[in-house]
Amino acid sequence: MSSADSSPGRRVSLLTLGCARNEVDSEELAGRLAAGGWELSAEPEASDVVVVNTCGFVEAAKKDSVDTLLAAADTGAKVVAVGCMAERYGRELADNLPEADAVLGFDHYPHLAERLADIAEGRSIASHTPADRRTLLPISPVERPAAAEQVAVPGHAGWGPRVLRSRLDDSPVAALKIASGCDRRCSFCAIPSFRGSFVSRHPDEIVAEAEWLATQGARELFLVSENSTSYGKDLGRELGGTRALEGLLPRLAAVEGIDRVRVSYLQPAETRPDLVKVIATTPGVADYFDLSFQHSSEAVLRRMRRFGSTDAFLALVDQIREYAPEAGIRTNVIVGFPGETEADVAELERFLTGARLDAVGVFGYSDEDGTEAEGFDGKLDEATIAERVGRVSALVEELTAQRAEDRIGTVVEVLVESVGDEVTGRAAHQAPEVDGECVVLDADSCKAGELLRCEVVDSAGVDLIVRPLEPVADRAP
């Protein structure tokens, strides 16, 4: 019996926590469930099953995931945990959270419609058993594409007559996954162990999904992965190899109906001059650089198993601004890493002051299960970490507000996203949810999805106050 036959009229809701990569995974799962006969519902209370796509990155995200699972159980629906936390902890999560009817890993994704039918009918599904997913693919990147066809890689559902994805909202912005996994071995990060080794998607597959997203109302594509600068290293020279992203971006920018393409999560040590030039100068590609600096002290970076220095990072920032002086640059930094000294913090402050970034996330270090740094000596006490987070955050708040203020009098292209009592959108230097927004004045006739040329007339923190000048003409393919 097919899953469509076994799930007549059954409704499922998907709740997504965490990053944009999880949002893509949820929409892939929605596509699989719709193809399997399930009706997608935005109302958990009216659903037979609620699927919670969890985040397992840091303690706060894990708590949010557990709270969401508990709230879902209160609806009376069957509750299924999937996503990073489910993949990472599996049976342990199931044992500690009896409110969840099942805890399923990535390997369940291809047959999720059938598994939900089993759960809805009261059949027990064995909880996922975690394993290091880096062991599932060959060590050599060029051998991975063929092997990946036999491994469940979220967001890599394949392509053909139709894209296996269903949009879960009507936002003019859509995340588009270009790769999954990571080959880096940062000492503080557990992601590679449960997301697996780095695997690129075929560029034709990505373009096909982009064309489909344009038909679904997307006007900005937000390219996501764990490490976008590695894109193509496993694809071979005929597909561009390590320069594949430079070839992919103009193709995506030329997709009819797409106004803007944005790249996320670039590794500074892998950010090549040619890639900088393509991002900064290609029409339709946002001159936006999401660079994962994490710190700038060489001593701290070495303990993090990363590369770089304050001067090297400042040189990269200068290189970007030589091509595009108004380019947006954002990063995240970790303070309080084991062994970090006051001199290291001062070096980070020197970098932040010199770089004049548009947005900076500041995080205090905390141990993550199974990471190398968990066993490091030189751990700082919570009070010291909190003091350093507060100090660096205050500096960042001042610097980013100044950077926004410097944009007053300039002209920006704003993609309108929300029309209500206030019209808001984002300029090229502002990524979804993390980098501030533009408040559009005198915009009563604006529609969501419209791209406007606007003059910046004021700022409020990292947010800009803008006034429309004219709509942006369609870009010629």
Side-chain angles (χ1 to χ4, degrees), residues 239-291:
L239 294 177
T242 57
R243 299 297 186 269
L245 187 56
E246 288 94 311
L248 176 64
L249 288 171
R251 290 184 64 187
L252 293 173
V255 171
E256 184 176 357
I258 297 300
D259 293 314
R260 190 157 68 198
V261 178
R262 182 185 305 278
V263 187
S264 72
Y265 214 80
L266 304 172
Q267 286 288 346
E270 299 177 23
T271 302
R272 308 169 294 276
D274 287 351
L275 179 59
V276 170
K277 182 177 181 180
V278 168
I279 294 174
T281 65
T282 302
V285 176
D287 49 354
Y288 174 82
F289 294 81
D290 174 17
L291 291 159

Side-chain angles (χ1 to χ4, degrees), residues 222-401:
F222 186 37
L223 308 188
V224 299
S225 73
E226 276 75 24
N227 178 6
S228 296
T229 37
S230 283
Y231 177 73
K233 73 175 188 179
D234 52 335
L235 294 180
R237 289 186 179 180
E238 66 279 7
L239 294 177
T242 57
R243 299 297 186 269
L245 187 56
E246 288 94 311
L248 176 64
L249 288 171
R251 290 184 64 187
L252 293 173
V255 171
E256 184 176 357
I258 297 300
D259 293 314
R260 190 157 68 198
V261 178
R262 182 185 305 278
V263 187
S264 72
Y265 214 80
L266 304 172
Q267 286 288 346
E270 299 177 23
T271 302
R272 308 169 294 276
D274 287 351
L275 179 59
V276 170
K277 182 177 181 180
V278 168
I279 294 174
T281 65
T282 302
V285 176
D287 49 354
Y288 174 82
F289 294 81
D290 174 17
L291 291 159
S292 174
F293 290 119
Q294 303 297 354
H295 212 285
S296 72
S297 162
E298 288 187 78
V300 174
L301 288 167
R302 283 196 298 271
R303 288 174 69 84
M304 287 180 168
R305 307 296 182 218
R306 296 175 68 85
F307 305 95
S309 66
T310 294
D311 292 335
F313 292 164
L314 289 174
L316 176 57
V317 170
D318 288 344
Q319 182 185 95
I320 290 168
R321 290 186 174 140
E322 285 178 10
Y323 286 113
E326 301 302 323
I329 307 176
R330 87 166 321 273
T331 196
N332 293 319
V333 297
I334 299 172
V335 295
F337 195 77
E340 182 189 64
T341 65
E342 283 292 339
D344 294 325
V345 179
E347 189 69 0
L348 175 60
E349 291 170 333
R350 180 170 80 88
F351 166 67
L352 294 171
T353 301
R356 297 176 58 250
L357 306 177
D358 292 272
V360 182
V362 181
F363 298 91
Y365 171 80
S366 61
D367 286 336
E368 273 297 300
D369 298 339
T371 61
E372 183 184 5
E374 187 181 23
F376 281 178
D377 57 9
K379 297 284 178 65
L380 304 181
D381 60 71
E382 292 185 6
T384 299
I385 294 174
E387 186 276 327
R388 292 180 181 180
V389 168
R391 187 199 326 169
V392 175
S393 295
L395 175 64
V396 161
E397 185 176 351
E398 178 183 356
L399 293 171
T400 54

Side-chain angles (χ1 to χ4, degrees), residues 9 29-30 36 123 126 139 141 176 251 301 305 366 381 414 463 472:
L29 294 179
R123 291 188 286 272
I139 294 176
L176 175 57
R251 290 184 64 187
L301 288 167
R305 307 296 182 218
S366 61
D381 60 71
V414 176
D463 295 336
V472 176

